Amino acid sequence: MKRKIVWSLTAMLAGTGFAAAQENIELASVRMASGTAARTGTIAQHDCAVGCSNGNGCSSFGNDYRLYGRAEVLVWQLGSTFRNSGIDSLPAFRDSMPYGFRSASYNITDPLNPILFETKDISGVAKLDPSILTGSGLDGQDRTGGRITIGMFLDSNHDWGAEFSYFQLERKTVGFRGTASVNNVQFQTGLSDVTITTIVSGDPPLPVNVLTETPVVFDADLAASIEGKASSQLYGFEANVNHRGFTIGNTVVSEIYGLRYLDLEFNHELTQFLSVTDDRYIINEFGNPTTSTTFLGGQYRAYNQFYAAQVGARFDTDLGRFFLNGFGKLAFGAMRQSLSAVEVVGNTDVNIPFEVYPAPTIYKEERTRLAFALEGSLNAGFHITEHCSVFAGYNILVMTRVAQMNGGGAPSNGAGTIDLGTAAQPIPVSNMFKEGRYYAHGLNLGLELRY
């Protein structure tokens, strides 16, 4: 929808430009006749401008300016692949978490008085498959944003120009919720039920109490819920020097030299609950049946900062009031990754020993990788007046060595399941992260003013 709006606005502005062209056709004809810019595309001195919206070839529309500025509306998508539609990069979840509960059994010395026992070693392990009830993917969504560029020429011939550009995309936040349940899971607590049987034996016959111990094995019901939230944001800026290289017909080719910075951040939040219920063995301190719940809460962050030098080339084709341009830039430098995770685990009935499952679990790591970013763009535009132009195009940015969350990747709205196992030991928190290629691409609609 947002992309359709961009193209509709482009068509509307182009229509406005045609109207302006009809009103000023006589003025334009006089300029053409003066030889400032020949129809053949031969570019005369001073009719080029490194860095215009149409690049170096500004034809007769504002060829005496020194300063220029561009404002663009962006509608982009982010993701680890171009094929993001139908794939949900759900917030990361813990596929292994502890659980514990208090259980009741008979004391061998007092068979009529139940005792409480803190379970630490549960032999029964359940496999849960939570279905995703609600959720939406962070990747593949249209994000609006903006880009501002200001520039100036460094010489009277407009052979050298300098410009600064900043862009930012909106922060997107999504969430999901899943539930699961499984019944009649068998547990063994390590205690025993004791049965006292009186028999008569011996000579003379005497009553004898015989104790029979039966391991406590019982069936319990498990229920789980998972809720998560994820957000991400991308912005960056660059400073470049442009130099007009050579001209081929109506097209000017220029070199680009500069520096750039990219900032990409991912944040995830997670809450998981695992409840165990049994009407006989799982009781509270008063001896009444209860539900024992283990909870896990986590916050995770992957922060990427890319510092690099870049080189590139661009072309600018002058078609009178219409123009085409495009560029390709390669940046090579350092990707600084900051990873962090904090998890808190607890239980409503028992204390989970720190040596069994550390709580809180705190993980932090900073590392630097050699990385590169490749960006390309193709635009088409129209000169409304001598000092104003509109243009629209397509941008693609590819980054390497980007640290991000190792999400579930499951479809949303009940279309799939996630395995949630139970364990007495935590898995490494570092497994929550992954490193790889990342894409940003989409449409842009802009306005340029020249002075």
Side-chain angles (χ1 to χ4, degrees):
M1 179 63 72
K2 294 180 181 178
R3 297 190 176 198
K4 292 180 180 178
I5 294 174
V6 170
W7 288 119
S8 298
L9 290 174
T10 304
M12 180 182 67
L13 292 173
T16 303
F18 280 119
Q22 294 295 326
E23 295 177 2
N24 298 300
I25 186 170
E26 182 177 353
L27 176 62
S29 299
V30 171
R31 289 199 180 106
M32 287 295 184
S34 67
T36 303
R39 289 183 178 273
T40 60
T42 302
I43 299 177
Q45 187 179 15
H46 302 299
D47 70 347
C48 298
V50 178
C52 299
S53 66
N54 69 324
N56 299 2
C58 282
S59 187
S60 60
F61 299 99
N63 53 14
D64 293 327
Y65 68 92
R66 295 296 298 271
L67 302 176
Y68 61 91
R70 294 191 294 271
E72 299 174 70
V73 175
L74 308 178
V75 183
W76 285 14
Q77 290 184 353
L78 303 179
S80 300
T81 174
F82 280 111
R83 306 177 68 178
N84 290 320
S85 59
I87 297 178
D88 275 321
S89 180
L90 297 176
F93 61 91
R94 296 298 259 142
D95 60 4
S96 180
M97 63 181 291
Y99 60 91
F101 50 83
R102 294 180 182 272
S103 63
S105 186
Y106 291 107
N107 188 334
I108 193 172
T109 61
D110 186 1
L112 301 180
N113 183 25
I115 65 170
L116 297 177
F117 176 76
E118 291 191 2
T119 302
K120 295 182 180 180
D121 183 14
I122 304 173
S123 60
V125 176
K127 187 81 167 177
L128 301 179
D129 294 323
S131 295
I132 303 302
L133 301 180
T134 59
S136 58
L138 190 60
D139 294 345
Q141 297 194 28
D142 287 343
R143 299 172 186 244
T144 57
R147 179 164 52 195
I148 297 176
T149 303
I150 57 175
M152 68 176 296
F153 298 107
L154 305 178
D155 65 328
S156 59
N157 291 330
H158 291 187
D159 289 332
W160 290 89
E163 64 180 32
F164 176 85
S165 179
Y166 173 85
F167 82 94
Q168 180 172 320
L169 299 177
E170 65 177 316
R171 179 182 293 274
K172 279 286 188 178
T173 301
V174 299
F176 81 103
R177 180 175 181 270
T179 62
S181 62
V182 59
N183 298 324
N184 301 321
V185 178
Q186 190 176 76
F187 292 94
Q188 182 174 346
T189 67
L191 294 183
S192 299
D193 282 332
V194 178
T195 303
I196 303 177
T197 305
T198 302
I199 62 175
V200 178
S201 64
D203 188 14
L206 296 173
V208 177
N209 291 331
V210 178
L211 303 180
T212 303
E213 297 185 25
T214 305
V216 175
V217 177
F218 63 95
D219 294 334
D221 299 333
L222 273 70
S225 67
I226 306 173
E227 294 186 9
K229 183 171 67 174
S231 65
S232 64
Q233 186 179 37
L234 171 65
Y235 71 88
F237 55 85
E238 58 184 306
N240 297 308
V241 173
N242 303 323
H243 175 245
R244 182 173 61 179
F246 55 90
T247 301
I248 303 176
N250 289 24
T251 300
V252 175
V253 179
S254 306
E255 310 111 47
I256 302 173
Y257 310 95
L259 302 172
R260 85 174 308 165
Y261 171 80
L262 295 171
D263 191 292
L264 178 58
E265 180 182 13
F266 302 90
N267 287 283
H268 285 188
E269 298 179 6
L270 177 66
T271 304
Q272 294 184 175
F273 293 91
L274 183 60
S275 300
V276 187
T277 305
D278 178 73
D279 59 3
R280 179 182 177 188
Y281 286 102
I282 301 178
I283 63 174
N284 59 20
E285 58 185 13
F286 304 106
N288 300 319
T290 186
T291 299
S292 180
T293 301
T294 302
F295 59 88
L296 182 150
Q299 292 185 334
Y300 316 92
R301 181 175 184 256
Y303 184 40
N304 300 271
Q305 296 173 290
F306 180 61
Y307 305 87
Q310 69 178 358
V311 295
R314 63 174 294 149
F315 78 90
D316 298 275
T317 300
D318 175 24
L319 302 174
R321 280 194 174 269
F322 292 94
F323 58 86
L324 298 173
N325 66 57
F327 65 77
K329 293 182 285 191
L330 174 64
F332 184 78
M335 181 71 76
R336 184 175 181 270
Q337 303 173 356
S338 297
L339 311 177
S340 64
V342 178
E343 287 187 341
V344 177
V345 177
N347 185 270
T348 57
D349 296 319
V350 299
N351 294 322
I352 300 176
F354 184 84
E355 62 272 12
V356 173
Y357 203 108
T361 300
I362 300 176
Y363 169 82
K364 291 184 178 181
E365 182 180 358
E366 291 189 0
R367 58 199 186 192
T368 301
R369 301 279 197 260
L370 290 177
F372 68 87
L374 181 64
E375 183 179 10
S377 177
L378 181 63
N379 298 289
F382 179 78
H383 295 296
I384 299 177
T385 69
E386 294 183 10
H387 303 286
C388 180
S389 303
V390 292
F391 58 96
Y394 180 80
N395 252 88
I396 177 173
L397 175 63
V398 183
M399 296 167 279
T400 64
R401 311 305 292 267
V402 172
Q404 55 185 302
M405 305 302 176
N406 194 10
S412 63
N413 301 325
T417 61
I418 295 176
D419 291 336
L420 173 63
T422 54
Q425 294 290 337
I427 63 173
V429 179
S430 57
N431 289 355
M432 303 290 289
F433 303 99
K434 65 180 181 180
E435 180 184 288
R437 192 174 301 166
Y438 202 73
Y439 299 89
H441 60 99
L443 302 175
N444 59 283
L445 173 64
L447 173 70
E448 178 179 275
L449 300 177
R450 300 177 290 274
Y451 177 75

